[in-house]
Amino acid sequence: MSPDSSILPTDNLSPLSSAYRSSTSSPDETSSQPISEHAAHRVLLLLDIQVAMLSPPPIGVPASATVHAHLTQILAYARAASPPPLIVHVRNSGDVGDADEPNAPGWQLIFPPLPGEVVLDKRKNSAFAGTNLSSIIAPDAEIVVAGFQTDYSIRATCSSALKRGNEVLLIRGAHATYDRIEVLHGGGITPASRIEGEVEAELEEAGVHILDMKDVPGIFMDR
């Protein structure tokens, strides 16, 4: 089933728009919405999908436009599912001066959460570290992961989830990172796409299921 276009998030949210403002909250605040009974079955975990990451490069990741489109599709399918998964928006709170410093423009979420969706702030790479995410997601839940950055939050959170016993699905093309300057190797640059592929291979070997965008329509269906 195709997602209802009416639930698609706005691609070009302005910091002045009411929808954009409604997605903000103070750091370390978690939505008080009750967790639905199907939360133990399937979770869509959206990591660090914030304005800074999806700004045009070089502020945002090199693949920001493509990943933004893919994330929009994934969220639309999840919200259109019956029943929908528990949707958790994790927002990174950077240090003073960082693009994602709390309450800075780059800290804001791209997709305004809907009622029943959870917003959680973190300060470490793993979304399970220093947060109450482990009390929100059951150890036997299936977790669909998407967001940023591949070699930091994505890797750490997927690894933490595997250790808890969760089944973890990572969607290729729905996570990304930055090019890496190899300071210890003559200052060469490792492209973000290569880093993303290497982390996917590492996580797949550890037990994460790597899926493609073509698989998205069926991910949130009962199976």
Side-chain angles (χ1 to χ4, degrees):
M1 178 181 68
S2 297
D4 184 346
S5 61
S6 66
I7 66 172
L8 288 173
T10 303
D11 283 346
N12 298 308
L13 287 176
S14 163
L16 301 179
S17 72
S18 59
Y20 188 102
R21 289 196 300 271
S22 71
S23 73
T24 65
S25 60
S26 59
D28 305 317
E29 179 179 338
T30 302
S31 169
S32 60
Q33 295 291 341
I35 306 303
S36 58
E37 62 181 14
H38 60 267
H41 177 53
R42 186 169 296 127
V43 178
L44 174 59
L45 187 59
L46 301 172
L47 295 175
D48 305 352
I49 302 177
Q50 295 162 255
V51 170
M53 289 291 178
L54 285 175
S55 296
I59 296 175
V61 297
S64 59
T66 299
V67 176
H68 191 172
H70 289 169
L71 292 170
T72 299
Q73 293 177 46
I74 292 166
L75 183 56
Y77 273 108
R79 286 173 170 172
S82 181
L86 173 66
I87 298 174
V88 181
H89 303 259
V90 178
R91 179 172 48 198
N92 191 67
S93 295
D95 295 329
V96 175
D98 288 346
D100 58 356
E101 174 186 352
N103 299 312
W107 175 76
Q108 312 297 348
L109 292 172
I110 287 288
F111 302 118
L114 298 182
E117 298 178 2
V118 176
V119 178
L120 181 149
D121 290 288
K122 70 175 180 63
R123 295 185 180 275
K124 298 183 181 295
N125 286 331
S126 173
F128 289 96
T131 71
N132 66 343
L133 187 61
S134 60
S135 66
I136 295 172
I137 300 179
D140 61 349
E142 176 185 276
I143 306 177
V144 180
V145 179
F148 305 98
Q149 286 176 243
T150 303
D151 44 344
Y152 292 96
S153 292
I154 295 290
R155 171 193 273 148
T157 301
C158 287
S159 298
S160 295
L162 287 175
K163 290 177 182 177
R164 298 177 74 239
N166 294 105
E167 184 172 5
V168 182
L169 286 65
L170 178 64
I171 304 173
R172 182 180 287 114
H175 65 91
T177 191
Y178 293 93
D179 296 336
R180 183 175 63 215
I181 299 176
E182 305 294 352
V183 178
L184 300 180
H185 300 282
I189 296 178
T190 300
S193 58
R194 178 176 173 182
I195 298 169
E196 292 153 11
E198 290 174 348
V199 173
E200 285 176 357
E202 171 192 322
L203 291 175
E204 186 171 34
E205 184 173 353
V208 173
H209 303 284
I210 307 297
L211 303 180
D212 294 305
M213 283 300 300
K214 65 180 176 60
D215 301 314
V216 170
I219 288 177
F220 303 107
M221 298 173 62
D222 283 336
R223 44 189 162 77

